[in-house]
Amino acid sequence: MLNDYFTVEKWLSNRSLRIAEELKALEAVSLAATLNQQVREGSIVLPYKLPVSQWITLLARKTWRDPIFTSTITKTAGYIPSKRFGRQVVSKLTRLSY
């Protein structure tokens, strides 16, 4: 989204990259920087919807590499049986625009 574009533009720095590396989120920050570059070049337009396959791949890598994140995901999994959670996931995955 446009606000994400400007947030990445404003906050992307060497310090941000060091923090992202420490938090094991460098891959996601690098992807955000790449998307911003593509927006500047005009090769993609906003709002841009990250393909589900790419989103799942990033999430799986983060889960595999970061034990703290894995613990959080495990606790969050307790919410999955709720109807509200299911409706929200389906809504996010099937929406066409933002």
Side-chain angles (χ1 to χ4, degrees), residues 12-34 58 62 65:
L12 193 61
S13 66
N14 287 333
R15 181 172 181 252
S16 298
L17 294 174
R18 284 193 305 273
I19 292 169
E21 187 173 17
E22 181 181 326
L23 296 174
K24 298 176 180 71
L26 189 57
E27 190 173 3
V29 172
S30 296
L31 174 61
T34 299
L58 286 170
K62 174 77 171 157
R65 296 176 183 160

Side-chain angles (χ1 to χ4, degrees), residues 24 57-67 69-70 73:
K24 298 176 180 71
T57 300
L58 286 170
L59 184 61
R61 286 184 189 148
K62 174 77 171 157
T63 303
W64 179 261
R65 296 176 183 160
D66 187 349
F69 183 74
T70 303
I73 288 293

Side-chain angles (χ1 to χ4, degrees), residues 44-88:
I44 63 171
V45 294
L46 297 176
Y48 175 76
K49 190 171 181 180
L50 193 65
V52 174
S53 60
Q54 193 171 18
W55 182 84
I56 289 171
T57 300
L58 286 170
L59 184 61
R61 286 184 189 148
K62 174 77 171 157
T63 303
W64 179 261
R65 296 176 183 160
D66 187 349
I68 294 172
F69 183 74
T70 303
S71 172
T72 303
I73 288 293
T74 304
K75 290 176 187 173
T76 304
Y79 296 110
I80 290 174
S82 77
K83 289 180 182 178
R84 181 173 182 258
F85 180 85
R87 284 192 305 266
Q88 288 177 330

